[in-house]
């Protein structure tokens, strides 16, 4: 929403700002570059659901008119959002809200890669849901999901296999409210990525994640589910995934069998 500013106000780049420009947005530092303020406004529209996943957003010209800034400022904001995989540019077609259903985004959070091929060429993993139940958050889960101890959460355990080899054992905790109605049957029947299911059926889009990694040995139950020995080293990956505005929506703990795979990460 435009906020009136004195006619003489200028952006940090030195360009003159229209009185109806968004300088001084609530929660935005006064020194924030103008394109960052436009980025915040676009994020607000994404979070509110004004533009749905896979839908086209207005053109740069339309957004420039809406926010009373130059197209160059809008373009820079969109460039950052595209770099963060929140928007996708399509040559000659426009800019679209990214979706986990798209292949280039679908594997964004899948870091375990075959030594011989990338995940896109390998195809989807075979999934087996071990358990899916509603329970109460303990103190650790509640802290990770910004809940109170005892709040309702959904707990899921599954095994992912590649070429018939059990490779990933995952335990997930999801806040109960946003994921009401999620069942083992829905998880099993859905053909796409789990994050795509969260997005399309529950309106929750994961936009970033933080992970902690360490090497561990499996316990008896983990040995059975992954079909490995007691002395097989596994990679433990704990992930907290966030939707817009850094709201935590998933705690995921995975054990990765890395006999023929490695964990890939790009550092910028």
């Amino acid at each position: 929403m435009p906020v009136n500013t004195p006619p003489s106000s200028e952006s940090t780049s030195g360009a003159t700002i229209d009185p109806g420009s968004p300088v001084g947005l609530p929660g935005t530092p006064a020194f924030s570059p103008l394109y960052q303020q436009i980025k915040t406004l676009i994020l607000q529209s994404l979070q509110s659901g004004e533009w749905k996943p896979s839908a086209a957003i207005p053109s740069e010209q339309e957004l420039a008119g809406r926010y009373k800034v130059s197209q160059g400022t809008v373009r820079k904001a969109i460039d950052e959002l595209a770099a963060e995989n929140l928007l996708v540019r399509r040559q000659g077609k426009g800019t679209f809200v990214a979706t986990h259903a798209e292949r280039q985004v679908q594997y964004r959070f899948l870091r375990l890669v075959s030594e011989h091929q990338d995940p896109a060429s390998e195809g989807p993993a075979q999934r087996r849901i071990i358990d899916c139940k509603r329970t109460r958050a303990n103190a650790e889960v509640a802290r990770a999901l910004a809940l109170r101890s005892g709040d309702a959460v959904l707990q899921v355990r599954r095994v992912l296999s590649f070429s018939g080899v059990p490779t990933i054992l995952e335990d997930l905790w999801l806040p109960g409210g946003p994921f009401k109605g999620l069942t083992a049957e829905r998880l099993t029947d859905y053909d796409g990525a789990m994050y795509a299911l969260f997005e399309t059926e529950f309106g929750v889009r994961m936009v970033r994640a933080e992970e902690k990694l360490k090497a561990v040995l499996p316990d008896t139950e983990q040995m059975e589910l992954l079909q490995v020995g007691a002395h097989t080293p596994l990679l433990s990956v704990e992930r907290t995934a966030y939707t817009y505005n850094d709201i935590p929506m998933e705690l995921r703990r995975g054990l990765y069998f890395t006999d023929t795979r490695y964990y890939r990460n790009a550092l910028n």
Side-chain angles (χ1 to χ4, degrees), residues 36-108:
Q36 288 283 358
Q37 298 179 48
I38 301 306
K39 178 183 175 183
T40 298
L41 288 173
I42 295 174
L43 276 171
Q44 289 174 358
S45 291
L46 291 171
Q47 182 184 22
S48 69
E50 178 180 350
W51 308 314
K52 303 294 184 183
S54 78
I57 70 170
S59 68
E60 290 178 1
Q61 183 177 7
E62 291 172 315
L63 290 174
R66 173 174 176 170
Y67 300 132
K68 300 185 181 349
V69 296
S70 70
Q71 283 186 237
T73 297
V74 171
R75 185 174 302 116
K76 193 168 183 179
I78 290 176
D79 284 343
E80 282 208 356
L81 291 167
E84 295 169 7
N85 293 299
L86 300 181
L87 297 176
V88 177
R89 291 188 182 277
R90 293 178 185 158
Q91 188 67 33
K93 295 183 178 179
T95 302
F96 296 77
V97 181
T99 168
H100 284 285
E102 294 189 40
R103 294 190 69 83
Q104 66 264 41
V105 179
Q106 186 175 124
Y107 295 102
R108 178 180 166 209

Side-chain angles (χ1 to χ4, degrees), residues 85-139:
N85 293 299
L86 300 181
L87 297 176
V88 177
R89 291 188 182 277
R90 293 178 185 158
Q91 188 67 33
K93 295 183 178 179
T95 302
F96 296 77
V97 181
T99 168
H100 284 285
E102 294 189 40
R103 294 190 69 83
Q104 66 264 41
V105 179
Q106 186 175 124
Y107 295 102
R108 178 180 166 209
F109 292 100
L110 178 58
R111 299 296 186 180
L112 197 66
V113 180
S114 168
E115 293 178 347
H116 309 293
Q117 55 191 343
D118 63 63
S121 63
E122 183 178 43
Q126 299 88 54
R127 299 165 295 182
R128 180 163 70 100
I129 304 299
I130 307 299
D131 197 10
C132 180
K133 62 184 179 182
R134 299 188 76 82
T135 184
R136 298 292 176 181
N138 61 28

Side-chain angles (χ1 to χ4, degrees), residues 146-172:
L147 301 173
R148 295 172 299 184
S149 293
D151 280 355
V153 292
L154 190 73
Q155 184 175 352
V156 178
R157 168 169 277 199
R158 68 174 185 168
V159 173
L160 303 181
S161 300
F162 294 89
S163 301
V165 178
T167 305
I168 304 173
L169 170 61
E170 290 185 322
D171 289 290
L172 295 81

